[in-house]
Amino acid sequence: MKIIIGKKAGFCEGIKIAIEKAEQTIEKNDEEIIYCLGDLVHNPVIMKSLYQEGLRVINNLSEIENPNNKTVIIRAHGVIKQVYEQAKDLGINLVDLTCPNVLVIHKLVEEYAQKGYYILVMGERQHAETIGTASFCGKNYKIIEEEQQLKNIINYINSKKIEKIFIIAQTTFNLDKFNKFVNTIQNEVNAEIIVKNTICNATRTRQEETIELSKKVNYMIIIGGRKSSNTNKLYDISCNNCKNVIMIEDAQELTKEHIEEIINSDIVGIMAGASTPQKSIEEVKAKLEKAVVNIS
Ligand code: SF4
């Protein structure tokens, strides 16, 4: 059994910086509780470790007792616009760790909304990043997640005679899907259309490598948090190219049955999401290698 680990597996720059800065913030303020609005990153291994260091996750600023002068970290995916105003009113110190790629999207949609463009956000409706982005779009926007929604949205735009459209993507959106949706809209909508492909570079190159890797292996292991949008996409992409694909959060989730199947494969590929620590990748590899040694 040969194991190939994707070169792009694991932390992207945005996540790396967010974790480092969160740790520095906790360390600097070791007397007080540091809060984070939502999970800093969508990885349970990292979140457990930050919890042990003292970070407390909240879902709403109103959960903080006596909020004045308290410190709240904003997660890498960003938050809704109103949080900044609410924090100011409550006297909360915000440590904004929103990834710069996400901040660019917030600025762009705000700018184009002010210029009178109707905004189309290609992204997962329930994902924190998309919800945050939508809050910067004003009133005239729609989120497109699946192909089935396109027809209704195109009919809506044409019937309302919307003249200017601005299209943007969630940073972790599937590149093929984005190109396909944009193409359909450009062909069927009679309006001026500006497109900004805001899928981040780290996501794009990771997806490209996953396509290549999953084509040449017999078994593909995707490591990452179940809530992680980019990890789920890696799983979907791999399923298109490889018959045997599993998604796990860490080595502990590798069952005896998985291991039996995996070690009987010639080539095994490992890819990991943007918030998966190197340690989780190494532990999976070590567990497989140990199983091979035990069997021979
Ligand atoms: S995946 Fe891209 S947008 Fe998301 S945190 Fe990483 S670099 Fe930033």
Side-chain angles (χ1 to χ4, degrees):
M1 178 191 66
K2 182 180 171 195
I3 300 176
I4 306 176
I5 299 178
K7 289 191 185 72
K8 305 285 176 192
F11 286 172
C12 61
E13 263 319 284
I15 298 290
K16 209 163 130 192
I17 292 169
I19 295 169
E20 275 169 17
K21 289 202 177 155
E23 285 176 337
Q24 284 163 12
T25 307
I26 298 165
E27 215 179 293
K28 230 172 47 198
N29 303 277
D30 62 349
E31 296 288 293
E32 58 163 311
I33 297 174
I34 304 297
Y35 298 91
C36 185
L37 208 40
D39 285 348
L40 179 72
V41 298
H42 283 152
N43 185 281
V45 179
I46 299 287
M47 290 314 296
K48 191 174 165 200
S49 144
L50 288 171
Y51 178 84
Q52 282 162 352
E53 288 174 46
L55 187 74
R56 293 294 171 264
V57 173
I58 50 167
N59 295 313
N60 203 303
L61 294 182
S62 61
E63 288 171 39
I64 306 173
E65 265 181 57
N66 306 321
N68 193 33
N69 270 328
K70 294 281 161 57
T71 302
V72 176
I73 289 173
I74 293 187
R75 64 191 167 205
H77 297 302
V79 289
I80 57 170
K81 189 178 177 184
Q82 292 74 4
V83 164
Y84 293 93
E85 291 145 25
Q86 200 191 353
K88 202 169 162 202
D89 291 345
L90 294 171
I92 286 173
N93 307 315
L94 284 183
V95 177
D96 192 354
L97 300 185
T98 309
C99 175
N101 293 327
V102 178
L103 290 176
V104 165
I105 296 179
H106 292 174
K107 277 205 188 105
L108 278 170
V109 292
E110 212 166 24
E111 180 193 328
Y112 278 89
Q114 273 163 13
K115 286 181 186 165
Y117 283 77
Y118 195 91
I119 317 278
L120 297 181
V121 182
M122 313 278 176
E124 287 160 70
R125 189 172 297 277
Q126 300 300 334
H127 192 279
E129 183 192 318
T130 311
I131 294 169
T133 297
S135 72
F136 288 84
C137 291
K139 287 186 183 145
N140 296 320
Y141 74 92
K142 285 215 188 296
I143 298 166
I144 308 180
E145 185 170 352
E146 294 302 339
E147 198 168 357
Q148 301 89 283
Q149 296 167 264
L150 275 178
K151 200 166 175 249
N152 278 346
I153 287 173
I154 289 168
N155 286 343
Y156 178 83
I157 292 170
N158 286 335
S159 68
K160 294 278 175 198
K161 298 195 171 19
I162 292 170
E163 290 175 353
K164 300 195 291 185
I165 294 168
F166 180 63
I167 302 178
I168 206 144
Q170 181 184 344
T171 53
T172 51
F173 202 64
N174 181 300
L175 183 62
D176 283 345
K177 232 163 127 180
F178 178 76
N179 289 334
K180 200 170 164 196
F181 291 3
V182 167
N183 228 340
T184 307
I185 294 167
Q186 282 173 329
N187 286 333
E188 297 187 28
V189 159
N190 191 17
E192 176 206 335
I193 302 173
I194 295 180
V195 181
K196 290 264 189 241
N197 178 352
T198 45
I199 296 172
C200 88
N201 212 26
T203 300
R204 189 179 51 76
T205 52
R206 191 189 313 267
Q207 288 182 2
E208 284 168 358
E209 193 187 12
T210 304
I211 294 172
E212 291 314 311
L213 186 57
S214 57
K215 279 181 185 167
K216 64 180 178 205
V217 301
N218 314 101
Y219 206 105
M220 191 73 190
I221 304 171
I222 306 294
I223 313 169
R226 283 202 178 76
K227 286 197 270 173
S228 159
S229 161
N230 76 87
T231 307
N232 279 294
K233 303 247 170 37
L234 300 178
Y235 175 78
D236 293 343
I237 288 172
S238 301
C239 289
N240 291 335
N241 304 308
C242 180
K243 275 196 210 142
N244 306 303
V245 186
I246 54 166
M247 187 175 136
I248 51 173
E249 290 196 331
D250 55 31
Q252 281 177 25
E253 290 190 1
L254 268 184
T255 63
K256 220 170 125 206
E257 290 74 28
H258 288 145
I259 293 175
E260 267 167 26
E261 276 179 25
I262 295 167
I263 60 177
N264 283 319
S265 308
D266 286 340
I267 314 176
V268 178
I270 297 181
M271 188 44 98
S275 52
T276 306
Q278 197 58 32
K279 190 170 167 266
S280 298
I281 302 170
E282 277 155 21
E283 283 171 357
V284 169
K285 184 173 175 259
K287 196 166 177 177
L288 294 177
E289 285 171 345
K290 195 173 163 202
V292 172
V293 171
N294 286 346
I295 224 167
S296 50

